[in-house]
């Protein structure tokens, strides 16, 4: 059984940023990534995807995103950036390794993996919240002739049958997909859109905006706690696409889907929002994700199904941490440009606990993380 002092689970932006800071602190660690190649999680997104935030806010610590300050990287550009990042800093990554179970031991953790059993004194979970597609139960009531897929399965318009498309979910992902599809077919988008952040804000006042969402909207401030309380229900602001663009493209907007009648979706309290089943071909559920916590020991979770932590430190399980969860500390915690700060915080806690364990001086504060 292989023993590694610290295991980071997940080789995306959160795991790589954590590895960067652990390496700077001189800690022994390995990053386990279930993908066959660093960045493959991004390569599976839809073909035309561009990052929601521009390059100046989409880089990891120590290495700016090369697309430029105001450019939005494509799916493949960002995937390649992650791979280059791991290589540039010689981060100890192991691809194609999935952790299937984690249990506590007297001095740390035992991990069951597809590469064999491992043990670690500390574990950082950096897989992020977007592991398991979230689809509402009413999807099972739709007419069997309607094709359904989650946004994680969407690649491009050519994979869809002819006919109208309903995109459920008016966040940035749903809006981008609806806008692309509107060029070739009738599209309806359902849901209540979040506030839109115009491109001009990033171009002309990006620094001020980023400072606000990074340093004011945090769990340490009353405004931040108010935003965090409803964040799981409302989602992040609309960035890089707006409802005005969808209107101009001819996309029909309706409220959120609340029911199914006769095999067709109903928005709000109205009648079915779609044309007859013959022309209603596809529903794309852009309804988000939930984290995969099934392989972890029982954890306390909040109303949104996210682990209860203190800035990523799991107080109930000493030596266990999270990086990359939404609003882990600030509104930017789940964003590429914000994950580095949380990664640094957790790396410091990992190093402090390791030093205390090595010297046999774990005190109350260290036991908490």
């Amino acid at each position: 059984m292989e023993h590694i002092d610290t295991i980071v689970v997940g080789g995306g932006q959160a795991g790589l940023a954590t590895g960067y800071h652990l390496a700077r602190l001189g800690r022994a660690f390995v990053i386990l990534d279930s993908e066959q190649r660093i960045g493959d999680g991004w390569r599976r997104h839809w073909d035309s995807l561009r990052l929601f935030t521009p390059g100046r806010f989409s880089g990891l610590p120590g290495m700016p995103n090369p697309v430029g300050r105001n450019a939005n990287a494509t799916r493949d550009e960002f995937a390649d950036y992650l791979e280059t990042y791991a290589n540039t800093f010689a981060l100890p990554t192991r691809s194609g390794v999935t952790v299937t179970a984690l249990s506590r031991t007297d001095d740390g953790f035992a991990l069951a993996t597809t590469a064999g059993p491992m043990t670690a004194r500390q574990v950082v979970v950096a897989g992020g919240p977007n592991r398991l597609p979230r689809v509402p139960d009413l999807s099972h009531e739709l007419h069997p002739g309607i094709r359904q897929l989650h946004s994680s399965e969407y690649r491009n318009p050519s994979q869809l049958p002819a006919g109208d498309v309903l995109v459920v979910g008016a966040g940035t992902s749903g809006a981008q997909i609806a806008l692309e599809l509107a060029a070739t077919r009738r599209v309806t988008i359902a849901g209540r859109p979040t506030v839109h952040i115009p491109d001009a804000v990033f171009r002309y006042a990006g620094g001020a905006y980023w400072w606000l969402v990074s340093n004011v909207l945090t769990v340490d401030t009353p405004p931040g706690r108010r935003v965090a309380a409803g964040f799981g229900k409302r989602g992040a602001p609309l960035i890089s696409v707006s409802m005005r663009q969808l209107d101009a493209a001819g996309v029909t907007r309706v409220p959120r889907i609340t029911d199914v009648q006769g095999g067709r979706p109903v928005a709000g309290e109205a009648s079915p929002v779609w044309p007859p089943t013959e022309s209603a071909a596809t529903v794309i559920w852009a309804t988000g994700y939930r984290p995969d916590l099934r392989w972890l020991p029982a954890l306390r979770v909040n109303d949104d199904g996210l682990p209860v932590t203190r800035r990523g430190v799991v107080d109930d399980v000493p030596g266990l941490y999270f990086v990359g969860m939404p609003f882990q500390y600030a509104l930017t915690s789940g964003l590429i440009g914000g994950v580095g700060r949380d990664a640094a915080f957790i790396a410091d806690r990992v190093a402090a606990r390791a030093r205390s364990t090595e010297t046999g001086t774990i005190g109350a504060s260290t036991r908490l993380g």
Side-chain angles (χ1 to χ4, degrees):
M1 183 178 294
E2 183 179 12
H3 178 78
I4 300 168
D5 187 78
T6 300
I7 291 179
V8 179
V9 182
Q13 57 266 21
L16 296 180
T18 302
Y20 171 87
H21 287 292
L22 288 173
R24 287 172 62 85
L25 293 170
R27 302 311 309 174
F29 70 97
V30 69
I31 300 171
L32 303 181
D33 188 23
S34 61
E35 305 292 347
Q36 294 301 313
R37 177 184 172 193
I38 295 295
D40 272 356
W42 283 89
R43 294 184 183 95
R44 285 199 303 274
H45 284 296
W46 67 92
D47 298 347
S48 63
L49 170 70
R50 287 185 175 272
L51 297 193
F52 303 157
T53 50
R56 65 185 293 201
F57 305 119
S58 299
L60 298 182
M63 183 175 163
N65 192 317
V67 296
R69 288 171 57 85
N70 295 316
N72 294 73
T74 66
R75 172 198 71 179
D76 291 337
E77 284 175 336
F78 186 70
D80 292 345
Y81 165 75
L82 292 181
E83 190 172 39
T84 301
Y85 186 90
N87 293 333
T88 298
F89 296 109
L91 299 179
T93 62
R94 296 188 190 178
S95 296
V97 180
T98 300
V99 180
T100 58
L102 180 142
S103 58
R104 301 174 68 175
T105 64
D106 291 341
D107 57 355
F109 303 92
L111 295 86
T113 83
T114 53
M118 299 179 181
T119 60
R121 185 156 48 184
Q122 302 187 81
V123 172
V124 182
V125 181
N130 300 331
R131 304 298 295 180
L132 301 176
R134 186 167 52 195
V135 177
D137 291 339
L138 56 77
S139 63
H140 302 298
E141 302 174 34
L142 291 184
H143 190 280
I146 298 174
R147 183 180 180 190
Q148 301 185 55
L149 66 159
H150 187 265
S151 57
S152 60
E153 302 170 285
Y154 173 74
R155 296 295 176 269
N156 55 62
S158 66
Q159 78 183 110
L160 304 184
D164 299 344
V165 176
L166 171 66
V167 178
V168 181
T172 301
S173 295
Q176 280 195 0
I177 292 172
L179 188 62
E180 177 175 72
L181 289 171
T184 56
R185 62 196 74 205
R186 289 191 300 183
V187 178
T188 300
I189 189 168
R192 185 176 62 168
T194 57
V195 63
H196 172 235
I197 307 299
D199 293 345
V201 170
F202 284 105
R203 185 173 295 274
Y204 300 112
Y209 170 79
W210 193 259
W211 184 88
L212 171 70
V213 296
S214 298
N215 298 287
V216 176
L217 298 184
T218 75
V219 297
D220 290 337
T221 70
R225 288 191 289 272
R226 284 196 296 270
V227 173
F231 191 73
K233 299 176 180 61
R234 291 284 291 141
L238 273 177
I239 299 174
S240 80
V241 65
S242 68
M243 290 297 111
R244 181 176 297 178
Q245 289 175 273
L246 268 64
D247 293 340
V251 175
T252 300
R253 288 199 276 153
V254 298
R256 62 188 296 268
I257 301 300
T258 58
D259 196 8
V260 174
Q261 293 179 11
R264 292 186 289 155
V266 174
E269 299 178 356
S271 58
V273 300
W274 238 13
T277 304
E278 292 74 28
S279 63
T282 306
V283 171
I284 298 177
W285 298 101
T287 44
Y289 300 80
R290 56 189 176 89
D292 186 1
L293 306 178
R294 296 171 298 179
W295 58 278
L296 290 161
L299 295 173
R300 287 189 298 138
V301 297
N302 62 20
D303 293 341
D304 298 319
L306 301 176
V308 175
T309 71
R310 179 173 48 82
R311 288 198 66 174
V313 178
V314 182
D315 290 341
D316 298 340
V317 187
L320 183 64
Y321 314 87
F322 283 85
V323 175
M325 287 295 170
F327 236 113
Q328 184 167 302
Y329 175 65
L331 180 61
T332 53
S333 288
L335 302 180
I336 297 162
V339 74
R341 176 174 60 181
D342 290 338
F345 180 87
I346 292 301
D348 285 342
R349 299 309 179 275
V350 168
R353 188 172 192 276
R355 288 192 297 267
S356 298
T357 302
E358 291 160 358
T359 59
T361 58
I362 288 184
S365 60
T366 308
R367 284 198 300 271
L368 291 176

